[in-house]
Amino acid sequence: MPEQTNTQCRPEQEQPGGLRRAFDSVRWYWASVMGDNHYERYLAHHERTHPGEAPMTKKEYWRERTDAQDTNPRSRCC
């Protein structure tokens, strides 16, 4: 019996791009949940809303964020 090939399947060159996009989406989501990209988001926001002003350093940003969480503990696990 001859092997049947699935003609509905996308060409091979398109599949890695789809997998890559899916992986990038999962990585972005996980980084957002864990806070890994918060400083980068802060920099983008600061550039849009305060052009010409120097942003906080990464250390200053995390210190201020941690202090704000300690003084105003909203619903969080830790």
Side-chain angles (χ1 to χ4, degrees), residues 62-72:
W62 285 110
R63 171 58 27 211
E64 187 171 304
R65 185 175 167 91
T66 303
D67 289 347
Q69 286 177 341
D70 288 344
T71 58
N72 185 18

Side-chain angles (χ1 to χ4, degrees), residues 13-48:
Q13 65 268 18
E14 291 182 26
Q15 291 177 357
L19 291 174
R20 179 65 168 181
R21 272 193 310 275
F23 176 75
D24 288 344
S25 296
V26 170
R27 187 177 64 194
W28 173 85
Y29 175 76
W30 188 254
S32 294
V33 169
M34 299 306 291
D36 294 346
N37 63 359
H38 285 200
Y39 182 69
E40 287 77 17
R41 288 177 26 212
Y42 158 73
L43 290 176
H45 167 78
H46 189 274
E47 181 64 30
R48 282 190 318 270

